[in-house]
């Protein structure tokens, strides 16, 4: 859980890119290359946020960094420091109740500026890997995964381990939509996020997936705004060209909803400042 700090009105707004992957997980470019692309794009604050997925037992995924790599990851970020940009130490960590305590220990022993909370697996089901996994499910099973996903997001918020929620509603990536009313589950999750004083990202990568919609949907973002949940625009960049992809469009969308502030992060605190 992060402390919320309200920045001064009239402070210079900053352009940030906080959801950035490098070759430490499944990104195509090195930490240094990603940071240089942020400088070239005029970004004021860049945060590297590679995947950390802790699965129960001996299971691993090849697109996650191993806990043992975290010191090298910090070194690589420090080595890329440059006077022209502020660099943040981030991570995108999966929430799984079975490994939450192990994750808590890891997060406490490293000086992250922020931790993105994501759910890519629901009890072994890979939510955003391939459409074929969804095609194998019946309609009822699809609905159960989606409801289970929102319950897991609520649990994730209550764990107090995370600063902002990554790509909420990612289950829609391949076009799967619930055929039952899931509004109660979404309300419960957003209320838990509010209680945990977390932010929610507007992740532009969904515009380039089969669903062609940012994460989360406008309706969910309205629910966030209504509750005073801070937001920030992110690209989920896995290569240099995507470091600020669709940021203008995303900010316009947030303004239309009523947002005028954006979340920035330092040492696990949220600083809510004017939107650029
Ligand atoms: Zn993710
Ligand atoms: Zn990501």
């Amino acid at each position: 859980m992060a402390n919320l700090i309200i920045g001064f009105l009239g402070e210079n707004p900053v352009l940030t890119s906080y959801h950035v992957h490098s070759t430490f997980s499944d990104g195509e470019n090195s930490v240094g290359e990603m940071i240089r692309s942020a400088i070239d794009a005029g970004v004021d604050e860049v945060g590297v946020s590679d995947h950390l997925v802790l699965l129960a037992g001996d299971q691993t995924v090849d697109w996650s960094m191993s806990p043992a790599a975290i010191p090298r990851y910090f070194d690589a970020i420090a080595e890329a420091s440059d006077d022209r940009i502020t660099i943040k130490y981030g991570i995108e960590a999966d929430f799984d109740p079975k490994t939450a305590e192990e994750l808590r220990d890891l997060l406490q022993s490293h000086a992250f500026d922020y931790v993105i909370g994501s759910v890519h697996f629901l009890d072994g089901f890979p939510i955003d890997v391939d459409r074929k996994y969804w095609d194998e499910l019946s309609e009822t099973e699809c609905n159960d995964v989606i409801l289970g996903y929102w319950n897991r997001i609520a649990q994730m918020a209550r764990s107090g381990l995370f600063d902002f929620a990554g790509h909420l509603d990612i289950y829609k990536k391949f076009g799967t939509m619930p055929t039952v009313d899931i509004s109660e589950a979404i309300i419960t999750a957003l209320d838990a996020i509010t209680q945990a004083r977390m932010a929610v990202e507007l992740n532009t990568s969904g515009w380039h997936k089969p669903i062609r919609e940012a994460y989360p949907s406008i309706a969910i973002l309205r629910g966030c705004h209504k509750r005073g949940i801070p937001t920030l625009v992110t690209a989920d960049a896995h290569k240099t060209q995507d470091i600020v992809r669709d940021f203008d469009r995303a900010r316009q969308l947030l303004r239309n909803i009523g947002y005028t502030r954006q979340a920035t992060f330092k040492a696990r605190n949220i600083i809510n400042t004017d939107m650029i």
Side-chain angles (χ1 to χ4, degrees):
M1 184 188 306
N3 291 314
L4 177 60
I5 299 170
I6 308 295
F8 297 110
L9 277 169
E11 239 176 0
N12 279 346
V14 288
L15 177 60
T16 68
S17 185
Y18 276 129
H19 193 150
V20 173
H21 295 280
S22 76
T23 45
F24 270 89
S25 62
D26 58 352
E28 290 178 23
N29 298 96
S30 67
V31 165
E33 287 167 342
M34 293 309 280
I35 290 173
R36 276 193 295 281
S37 76
I39 294 169
D40 292 344
V43 170
D44 300 297
E45 289 187 6
V46 64
V48 186
S49 62
D50 272 303
H51 287 288
L52 180 65
V53 185
L54 303 178
L55 298 175
D58 296 332
Q59 301 173 81
T60 52
V61 287
D62 58 5
W63 45 270
S64 165
M65 132 170 95
S66 81
I70 297 176
R72 271 195 294 121
Y73 175 67
F74 270 69
D75 287 348
I77 298 172
E79 278 164 22
S81 82
D82 188 297
D83 292 345
R84 292 169 291 175
I85 199 161
T86 302
I87 298 176
K88 304 285 179 177
Y89 295 78
I91 199 142
E92 180 181 10
D94 267 52
F95 175 69
D96 181 336
K98 294 193 191 81
T99 56
E101 289 315 308
E102 189 187 337
L103 179 62
R104 191 180 304 276
D105 290 346
L106 270 176
L107 297 179
Q108 276 168 358
S109 38
H110 299 282
F112 289 106
D113 284 302
Y114 60 90
V115 179
I116 308 175
S118 292
V119 173
H120 296 100
F121 294 97
L122 190 74
D123 302 328
F125 180 80
I127 292 170
D128 68 328
V129 173
D130 198 307
R131 178 195 296 272
K132 72 176 184 203
Y133 297 110
W134 288 96
D135 289 344
E136 288 164 6
L137 301 184
S138 68
E139 185 180 325
T140 310
E141 287 169 334
C142 285
N143 289 332
D144 288 347
V145 169
I146 294 169
L147 282 166
Y149 173 86
W150 283 109
N151 292 337
R152 187 59 54 85
I153 295 293
Q155 238 180 328
M156 174 180 95
R158 290 186 200 114
S159 75
L161 290 172
F162 304 96
D163 302 308
F164 69 89
H167 45 61
L168 281 179
D169 81 2
I170 188 152
Y171 52 80
K172 71 185 179 186
K173 176 175 176 178
F174 305 109
T176 317
M177 286 297 176
T179 54
V180 290
D181 182 8
I182 60 162
S183 52
E184 280 303 316
I186 296 177
I187 287 168
T188 303
L190 294 187
D191 286 346
I193 286 170
T194 313
Q195 283 262 312
R197 284 179 279 165
M198 285 169 65
V200 164
E201 67 173 6
L202 169 46
N203 182 319
T204 62
S205 72
W207 274 318
H208 302 273
K209 304 294 192 248
I211 186 68
R212 302 220 157 263
E213 197 179 284
Y215 308 119
S217 68
I218 291 174
I220 293 170
L221 285 168
R222 283 192 206 287
C224 293
H225 181 250
K226 197 174 89 180
R227 289 168 175 79
I229 296 173
T231 189
L232 66 157
V233 174
T234 66
D236 213 340
H238 286 75
K239 53 182 191 288
T240 52
Q241 301 93 296
D242 294 346
I243 196 82
V244 291
R245 184 164 61 162
D246 293 332
F247 275 26
D248 288 341
R249 181 181 177 187
R251 280 192 297 267
Q252 194 53 54
L253 190 157
L254 290 176
R255 279 201 193 88
N256 291 345
I257 290 170
Y259 275 106
T260 58
R261 312 277 274 171
Q262 62 177 1
T264 61
F265 296 85
K266 186 175 187 177
R268 306 294 314 267
N269 290 309
I270 299 186
I271 306 150
N272 215 9
T273 59
D274 285 346
M275 196 185 294
I276 198 159

